[in-house]
Amino acid sequence: MIDYQEILDGIASNCLTATEKGKIATYIPELSKVDDSKFGIHLVDNSKNNYSAGDSDELFSIQSISKVLSLGQAMSLVGEDLWKRVDVEPSGDPFNHLSLLEMENGIPRNPLINAGAIVVADILISNLENPKLEFLNYVRELTNDNSINFDIEVAKSEKETGYRNYAAANLLKSYGNLKNDVETVLDFYFHQCSLKMSCSQLTKAFYPFMNKGVCQQGKTFLTVRQEKRINALMLTCGFYDEAGEFAFEVGLPGKSGVGGGIVALLPGKYCVATWAPGLNAKGNSKLGMEALEKLTTATAQSIF
Ligand code: GLU
């Protein structure tokens, strides 16, 4: 039997003493205030056993990890129609790249880059009466934790400096792929990205994605087919222009965010989240990627 706790302890002690930690994201000013010495990891297995090490209960800005959660909610609301407005191909480009969007007539490459997530946000706004609250409630229900909330300061900070997201939303609007107005959609998008969660809460939120759509409390959030599709997207598109490297080193579907979080999962077996705020050159958590590579190597388990 694999001793997950021993493996996580080893990973955390390496990461907490690492000297090369990567660089904290500063383009959202509020994120630059985070302490770069933090490291947390939490794993929950398919029998709901929990293992953790380091700062695994500390809240951080989940940023792009939220794109998987908004996608899950949008898929359950509109089903296959979603794919008329967003493609499912990796972009091979940074998360905020714009040129492909223009070349491909306003259809974002996938729902996990910014332009794609902005279209998903637009779909949620069109289909929910009180979009921000209902999205927040969806995440609280997935996690069975009503303490989860937006970080209003982070959302405000991103709004003030979100020039590229405004550019993407305006391009989408010019191609007719945004039904609501740019301000409303970006207000929702900045709030969803500002969600504050811990590694341990993230593993609960992502549990249905490794458990055929069913959360820890037994409620079904997604069909088996939807779960398959979300995992395929995380594997091929979850790490900006480093999805190949993550699959190569770690071998799990997952999603990162510029707040330094990563969630990854081994379908049917476990869900794991890491947090280390320093990013590598591609915008993924440096120590988080290294930690997950160590996990799949030490356990000799991956999807391959
Ligand atoms: N809110 C961030 C942005 O749109 C998310 C980036 C990320 O985590 O990849 O720039």
Side-chain angles (χ1 to χ4, degrees):
M1 209 170 113
I2 297 172
D3 188 341
Y4 286 119
Q5 189 57 52
E6 191 184 347
I7 295 171
L8 298 199
D9 286 340
I11 290 172
S13 83
N14 277 338
C15 289
L16 284 163
T17 52
T19 46
E20 302 276 310
K21 299 183 211 289
K23 286 205 176 73
I24 292 195
T26 52
Y27 78 99
I28 301 174
E30 209 45 39
L31 293 185
S32 64
K33 298 179 180 164
V34 176
D35 175 357
D36 76 348
S37 67
K38 299 286 181 182
F39 177 83
I41 185 164
H42 189 104
L43 184 149
V44 60
D45 70 13
N46 54 3
S47 307
K48 298 180 221 165
N49 295 310
N50 287 276
Y51 308 91
S52 57
D55 304 305
S56 59
D57 283 322
E58 198 161 321
L59 302 179
F60 61 92
S61 192
I62 73 165
Q63 291 297 320
S64 276
I65 296 173
S66 67
K67 291 171 179 167
V68 181
L69 304 174
S70 58
L71 176 63
Q73 191 177 27
M75 281 170 81
S76 22
L77 287 169
V78 301
E80 295 299 299
D81 281 352
L82 197 147
W83 310 116
K84 294 181 186 148
R85 294 177 57 188
V86 188
D87 207 347
V88 294
E89 295 298 335
S91 73
D93 277 325
F95 61 98
N96 56 6
H97 220 246
L98 296 171
S99 57
L100 266 180
L101 187 59
E102 179 144 43
M103 266 158 49
E104 294 174 357
N105 302 317
I107 302 293
R109 269 283 166 116
N110 66 68
L112 301 183
I113 53 170
N114 286 13
I118 290 169
V119 171
V120 171
D122 186 52
I123 291 171
L124 287 178
I125 291 167
S126 298
N127 285 278
L128 298 172
E129 246 163 60
N130 189 340
K132 282 190 279 189
L133 182 66
E134 287 175 58
F135 172 68
L136 183 60
N137 284 341
Y138 174 78
V139 179
R140 287 174 170 175
E141 218 187 318
L142 273 174
T143 316
N144 194 31
D145 188 337
N146 283 336
S147 71
I148 294 172
N149 227 323
F150 300 125
D151 184 331
I152 305 301
E153 288 308 311
V154 170
K156 196 166 147 258
S157 178
E158 184 165 7
K159 188 182 175 134
E160 282 161 10
T161 54
Y163 307 112
R164 297 191 73 88
N165 287 322
Y166 275 97
N170 277 299
L171 256 182
L172 289 165
K173 189 79 184 167
S174 78
Y175 282 106
N177 201 6
L178 215 61
K179 309 298 174 203
N180 299 283
D181 61 73
V182 166
E183 278 302 332
T184 308
V185 178
L186 288 182
D187 178 62
F188 178 94
Y189 173 75
F190 295 143
H191 277 81
Q192 83 166 63
C193 288
S194 82
L195 271 180
K196 258 187 348 189
M197 291 172 74
S198 65
C199 293
S200 101
Q201 289 171 329
L202 277 171
T203 60
K204 292 197 181 80
F206 276 67
Y207 197 87
F209 303 119
M210 76 100 179
N211 189 41
K212 305 280 183 216
V214 181
C215 80
Q216 288 197 21
Q217 279 64 45
K219 182 172 172 191
T220 301
F221 281 86
L222 299 162
T223 65
V224 170
R225 189 173 189 224
Q226 288 169 336
E227 184 235 37
K228 173 188 78 179
R229 294 186 150 178
I230 290 184
N231 277 303
L233 286 164
M234 284 199 278
L235 184 73
T236 52
C237 314
F239 293 86
Y240 317 122
D241 42 341
E242 213 175 21
E245 178 75 8
F246 192 83
F248 186 78
E249 295 291 345
V250 179
L252 300 176
K255 183 73 198 91
S256 61
V258 294
I262 299 181
V263 185
L265 53 95
L266 183 56
K269 284 239 160 23
Y270 68 70
C271 184
V272 61
T274 58
W275 174 49
L279 309 180
N280 66 18
K282 299 281 172 96
N284 293 306
S285 169
K286 184 175 186 307
L287 294 177
M289 272 184 80
E290 289 171 18
L292 293 170
E293 185 279 323
K294 287 193 180 89
L295 174 69
T296 53
T297 301
T299 54
Q301 287 181 324
S302 80
I303 63 165
F304 300 110

